[in-house]
Amino acid sequence: MKNTLFGLLLALILSSFHTLADSPPLTANPELAEHEKYTGSWYGYITMPNAELLLIVTLEHSDNQWSGTFMLPSQSATGMPLENFSVSGNQLAFSTPQGSRFEGQLDDNQRLQGTFTQGTVQRAVNLGRDVIDPNATITLSSRWGNIDVETFASGLVRPWGLDFLDNGRILVTELPGRLRIVEADGSLGAPIAGVPAVNQINPAGLFDVVLAPDFATSQRIYLSFAKPDAAGGNAASTSIAHARLADGALHDFTEIFSAYPKVPGWHYGGRMVFSADGQYLFLGLGDRGDQLMQSQELGSHTGTLIRIHPDGSVPADNPFIHTAGALPEIYSYGHRNIQGLGIQPGTNRLWATEHGPQGGDEVNIPEPGKNYGWPIITHGEEYGGGEVPLAVGFKKEGMEQPVWHWTPSIGVSGMTFYQGEPFPAWQGNILAVGLRDRNVARLEIDGDRVIHQENLQLNDRIREVKVGPDGFVYLLTDEQGNGKILRLRPAQPQG
């Protein structure tokens, strides 16, 4: 009897070993394999209006739950969580919190292909496993040779203005109200103390920074900013102040100009430049968005270019200083929203780029006392189509024509004249940058005429452009999540 029981037990044990040996390993479980192939990160580009934006999708599976993120590095430093997953075979679907739905499939090469749909808008994507670095150097082809576009610094929030310190350092503003020094190795310094409070509505904030002509001895810098109304609310005005930069802080902060009137709105202008001799400071101002006709009224700084001395006093030869009812700081008027100012080498004349409506971005040569027409004349139209209210066409007697205009708009912002050794064929050219078209427009000049344009296409909205002491071209990208300082230099030999 005992032998019989022992035999039965031995047979049961041997049978169990046989069953375990014949079972597939856990990693071969079809359900787990499905999860593994959909786990990880995919990189690629999504087509948006006027741009191809880097997209990173990351998916995870844990505790029988799917999760993931949807990230546009140019828009945010963190990813948006994904939800409402559906996974079946090679088919995958999920939603973003904003209501966009992705439906697609994973192909045999592990590429994630499909379409994001939101309302009636569909955007196709084709994402791969190869990592794409948003800060990687890219190479552009141009008329005069290839150009490397490298990331000098990153991690900024909507950088707006910059100027160059010694030893390769850069002073840069961020729209939310921060001023930083970027070191020669591209590392970001801590925010500088003593920066004024700024209005951040529509969008506004800390705009430009320029060094005083005597900075080497005075250490003085100039800031333009949206000064909030002391009584609170949304009203603000574009203002200028100077201060002494020392020991990581601003000292002796002194406001020298504030635009009148202080109103709610947008289109602040804010770009500054000193004259070639350092005797005058120019500031471009916008029409504040819904104050269009004030651009034609000399009793308002709205839609004007102002000229003051570095201490804020009014030059005795300003064109309207003896005009009854006119504000004495006004140099020219009829501007929509000046975003770029530059002094032409050789002539020392002031040139400006002006952000138009839908079409009609302009290059002008502002002259004292002249009227540049907004909103009475324009080459643009209302956003969405239709004539600009109050506009009578392209021309009117007594109003100046632009030297150049972009129709359709590039969303023009900053400008500068090129002078330097690295790009000898660019001497005297205008470099103007586009927010909408994400580009650098290189304009060749003959006297007062633009005779040729070359477009250098980038992937980021470009806010400002300046030429560094090294002759390289520095750009600011208008990004919320990962604002950068880009540097353009002749392409380096490979290998």
Side-chain angles (χ1 to χ4, degrees), residues 102-365:
F102 173 82
E103 294 182 344
Q105 62 279 327
L106 194 66
D107 69 15
D108 293 340
N109 296 316
Q110 282 280 295
R111 295 197 67 83
L112 190 59
Q113 302 179 57
T115 303
F116 280 94
T117 302
Q118 187 161 21
T120 61
V121 178
Q122 292 188 325
R123 304 191 189 283
V125 294
N126 187 341
L127 310 179
R129 291 285 199 173
D130 293 338
V131 175
I132 299 176
D133 180 1
N135 296 328
T137 296
I138 64 173
T139 300
L140 304 178
S141 60
S142 80
R143 183 181 182 185
W144 302 108
N146 290 345
I147 300 166
D148 280 348
V149 182
E150 56 190 14
T151 299
F152 177 79
S154 60
L156 296 162
V157 178
R158 302 204 70 181
W160 211 95
L162 78 160
D163 210 343
F164 299 94
L165 300 169
D166 56 0
N167 300 321
R169 300 178 303 155
I170 297 176
L171 194 60
V172 62
T173 61
E174 294 175 286
L175 198 62
R178 291 182 292 273
L179 178 68
R180 299 180 189 270
I181 292 176
V182 179
E183 299 296 335
D185 63 359
S187 60
L188 304 185
I192 291 169
V195 173
V198 297
N199 183 300
Q200 297 185 45
I201 299 172
N202 283 335
L206 183 60
F207 299 131
D208 210 359
V209 58
V210 294
L211 305 187
D214 64 350
F215 176 80
T217 55
S218 71
Q219 299 296 292
R220 191 167 66 251
I221 67 170
Y222 287 75
L223 296 173
S224 61
F225 58 99
K227 180 182 179 181
D229 189 350
N234 296 337
S237 61
T238 308
S239 300
I240 301 175
H242 61 63
R244 183 170 52 85
L245 176 63
D247 303 320
L250 299 182
H251 306 270
D252 307 323
F253 185 88
T254 305
E255 183 180 302
I256 61 170
F257 172 80
S258 188
Y260 173 85
K262 186 174 289 183
V263 295
W266 52 101
H267 293 174
Y268 285 81
R271 194 64 66 194
M272 298 185 292
V273 71
F274 276 100
S275 60
D277 60 8
Q279 296 299 306
Y280 306 105
L281 176 62
F282 294 94
L283 169 70
L285 295 167
D287 67 4
R288 299 310 310 277
D290 57 2
Q291 308 290 320
L292 276 64
M293 276 308 295
Q294 287 199 20
S295 297
Q296 292 293 317
E297 298 171 4
L298 296 176
S300 167
H301 290 119
T302 301
T304 67
L305 175 72
I306 70 149
R307 184 179 73 156
I308 56 178
H309 286 305
D311 64 359
S313 61
V314 177
D317 59 348
N318 266 13
F320 300 110
I321 197 166
H322 299 299
T323 301
L327 296 176
E329 297 90 353
I330 295 175
Y331 186 77
S332 62
Y333 65 108
H335 300 287
R336 183 176 184 269
N337 193 16
I338 292 174
Q339 290 286 286
L341 293 170
I343 303 298
Q344 186 178 35
T347 69
N348 295 335
R349 297 175 74 187
L350 176 69
W351 291 54
T353 46
E354 189 168 330
H355 197 105
Q358 185 168 282
D361 287 352
E362 296 180 355
V363 178
N364 288 301
I365 306 176

Side-chain angles (χ1 to χ4, degrees), residues 71-80 155-157 480-482:
M71 182 176 178
L72 297 169
S74 64
Q75 308 300 309
S76 175
T78 58
M80 297 181 294
L156 296 162
V157 178
Q480 180 70 34
N482 185 32

Side-chain angles (χ1 to χ4, degrees), residues 349-432:
R349 297 175 74 187
L350 176 69
W351 291 54
T353 46
E354 189 168 330
H355 197 105
Q358 185 168 282
D361 287 352
E362 296 180 355
V363 178
N364 288 301
I365 306 176
E367 295 185 358
K370 293 196 174 178
N371 181 353
Y372 288 82
W374 178 258
I376 306 302
I377 60 173
T378 177
H379 288 268
E381 62 182 9
E382 280 285 85
Y383 292 114
E387 294 183 356
V388 173
L390 308 174
V392 300
F394 301 148
K395 297 180 180 180
K396 186 177 180 180
E397 186 176 353
M399 296 182 178
E400 303 303 310
Q401 285 294 300
V403 171
W404 182 259
H405 68 90
W406 289 275
T407 303
S409 297
I410 66 169
V412 73
S413 189
M415 67 153 286
T416 192
F417 285 93
Y418 184 79
Q419 288 279 279
E421 295 182 2
F423 298 100
W426 291 7
Q427 300 301 320
N429 291 179
I430 287 176
L431 303 178

